[in-house]
Amino acid sequence: MGAVEARAAGRAAGTELVDTDLYPLDEPDGAGWTAVVSRVREELANSGCCVLPDFIRGALQERLRTECAAIAPDAHYDVETVNAYNIDIGTPLPDDHPGRITVERGNAFVARDLIPRDLIVHRLYSDPLFQRFVAACFGLPRVHELGDPLSGLCLNVVNPGMEHPWHFDTNEFTVSLLTQLPEDGGVFEYCPNIRSAADENFADVRDVLTGRGAHLVRRLVLRPGDLQLFKGRYSLHRVSEVRGDVARHTAILAYSERPGVVGSVARTRQLFGRVLPEHLAAEGRAVRVDALLD
């Protein structure tokens, strides 16, 4: 396939998968496209989060669910004790530091190299029209797929009885797609802009972690096929305990403002249980966007 044909195939993928009546990805900078992008930017500026309901075409939502459910058994499972900053729990910290509050993390991840390229989530992740839309929503000139062969695209699996505890993201923005709803629980909860690049705001973070900060927490009702755009670097967030007999599945589509981004060896091993030569080669070359704890 030549370059022109490849670009055409990429364009077709976005229009085939996305409900373009609601989200006209095929008309960049058109009136409808501009209206959606403007709304997303406003919500991100106000709360750090925006949900686009039924982003995936309704006729494809069951296929989206079954495709991801089929690969969910390939997830790496590892119940471990963590803190909200995903730093070593043995790190010396003051007695009242929120990083000393630990919980069990029992969610699991299917790595990108285990997700077939013909699946809806993989086709969407690599689609140039979708990437242009995501960049516009976050006010960026463009976004790049991660250079990381494992974490660029992954499926997050939260089984019944498990949760994805309170944490901050390493990257400034996150794009996710709910693919399977649990019977009960599994609610996305977040604290908009609880910290900034200049202020950790440990007091409020500690209140949320100890149950005294309910007034700081917002909750989202998500459905399969909903796209979520989120600034998780500065907003503490979690998925509450999943109840019933059905797991919660979410595809995480990770992009960066710069090309070639690869995760750290420690974080990659924590999430996927393994590292590849790309991670070893990139170790020590990470560029941080701020001086926050995580």
Side-chain angles (χ1 to χ4, degrees), residues 87-215:
I87 60 173
D88 189 330
I89 61 173
T91 302
L93 297 170
D95 289 343
D96 63 346
H97 195 290
R100 292 179 65 92
I101 300 171
T102 59
V103 292
E104 280 194 346
R105 183 184 70 83
N107 59 315
F109 294 89
V110 180
R112 181 179 183 177
D113 64 351
L114 299 177
I115 302 177
R117 291 185 175 274
D118 61 343
L119 265 59
I120 289 173
V121 292
H122 213 307
R123 294 174 63 201
L124 184 68
Y125 178 64
S126 300
D127 182 70
L129 283 181
F130 179 68
Q131 292 178 10
R132 178 173 178 175
F133 175 74
V134 168
C137 287
F138 285 109
L140 302 171
R142 67 170 298 181
V143 294
H144 300 269
E145 297 179 28
L146 296 196
D148 194 308
L150 300 184
S151 66
L153 169 69
C154 60
L155 183 71
N156 178 225
V157 177
V158 187
N159 280 327
M162 297 297 183
E163 64 177 290
H164 192 173
W166 290 112
H167 66 284
F168 292 101
D169 291 340
T170 303
N171 50 314
E172 289 191 77
F173 61 91
T174 304
V175 181
S176 61
L177 185 70
L178 188 71
T179 67
Q180 180 170 282
L181 194 67
E183 289 179 353
D184 191 19
V187 176
F188 183 83
E189 302 179 339
Y190 70 108
C191 306
N193 301 313
I194 196 170
R195 70 176 182 178
S196 68
D199 183 7
E200 290 274 14
N201 192 12
F202 289 134
D204 279 351
V205 172
R206 184 172 56 251
D207 281 350
V208 172
L209 298 180
T210 56
R212 297 193 300 266
H215 62 289

Side-chain angles (χ1 to χ4, degrees), residues 9-286:
R11 287 195 295 271
T15 56
E16 176 191 340
L17 304 175
V18 176
D19 188 333
T20 52
D21 290 334
L22 297 174
Y23 311 105
L25 268 63
D26 52 340
E27 298 177 3
D29 302 319
W33 192 90
T34 300
V36 173
V37 169
S38 297
R39 175 169 65 85
V40 173
R41 286 186 180 182
E42 182 178 1
E43 291 190 26
L44 287 173
N46 291 336
S47 68
C49 184
C50 180
V51 176
L52 300 179
D54 291 319
F55 191 79
I56 298 298
R57 292 184 182 275
L60 293 174
Q61 290 179 11
E62 178 58 17
R63 176 179 157 194
L64 171 72
R65 188 196 68 77
T66 57
E67 286 182 347
C68 290
I71 63 172
D74 295 329
H76 169 68
Y77 292 86
D78 184 16
V79 177
E80 59 183 333
T81 303
V82 298
N83 53 39
Y85 302 95
N86 285 308
I87 60 173
D88 189 330
I89 61 173
T91 302
L93 297 170
D95 289 343
D96 63 346
H97 195 290
R100 292 179 65 92
I101 300 171
T102 59
V103 292
E104 280 194 346
R105 183 184 70 83
N107 59 315
F109 294 89
V110 180
R112 181 179 183 177
D113 64 351
L114 299 177
I115 302 177
R117 291 185 175 274
D118 61 343
L119 265 59
I120 289 173
V121 292
H122 213 307
R123 294 174 63 201
L124 184 68
Y125 178 64
S126 300
D127 182 70
L129 283 181
F130 179 68
Q131 292 178 10
R132 178 173 178 175
F133 175 74
V134 168
C137 287
F138 285 109
L140 302 171
R142 67 170 298 181
V143 294
H144 300 269
E145 297 179 28
L146 296 196
D148 194 308
L150 300 184
S151 66
L153 169 69
C154 60
L155 183 71
N156 178 225
V157 177
V158 187
N159 280 327
M162 297 297 183
E163 64 177 290
H164 192 173
W166 290 112
H167 66 284
F168 292 101
D169 291 340
T170 303
N171 50 314
E172 289 191 77
F173 61 91
T174 304
V175 181
S176 61
L177 185 70
L178 188 71
T179 67
Q180 180 170 282
L181 194 67
E183 289 179 353
D184 191 19
V187 176
F188 183 83
E189 302 179 339
Y190 70 108
C191 306
N193 301 313
I194 196 170
R195 70 176 182 178
S196 68
D199 183 7
E200 290 274 14
N201 192 12
F202 289 134
D204 279 351
V205 172
R206 184 172 56 251
D207 281 350
V208 172
L209 298 180
T210 56
R212 297 193 300 266
H215 62 289
L216 299 170
V217 180
R218 297 189 186 183
R219 294 167 178 81
L220 282 182
V221 176
L222 297 167
R223 304 292 300 179
D226 290 355
L227 186 75
Q228 180 181 5
L229 298 101
F230 182 57
K231 292 186 175 180
R233 180 70 178 150
Y234 307 116
S235 297
L236 186 69
H237 55 287
R238 74 170 179 175
V239 173
S240 66
E241 181 182 343
V242 168
R243 298 184 294 271
D245 297 322
V246 180
R248 183 186 194 271
H249 297 163
T250 307
I252 301 174
L253 301 85
Y255 301 102
S256 175
E257 294 182 54
R258 65 186 193 281
V261 170
V262 176
S264 70
V265 168
R267 184 68 170 147
T268 301
R269 185 172 284 115
Q270 179 188 49
L271 295 180
F272 303 108
R274 57 193 169 104
V275 296
L276 299 178
E278 291 89 339
H279 301 102
L280 298 174
E283 189 72 352
R285 299 205 309 264

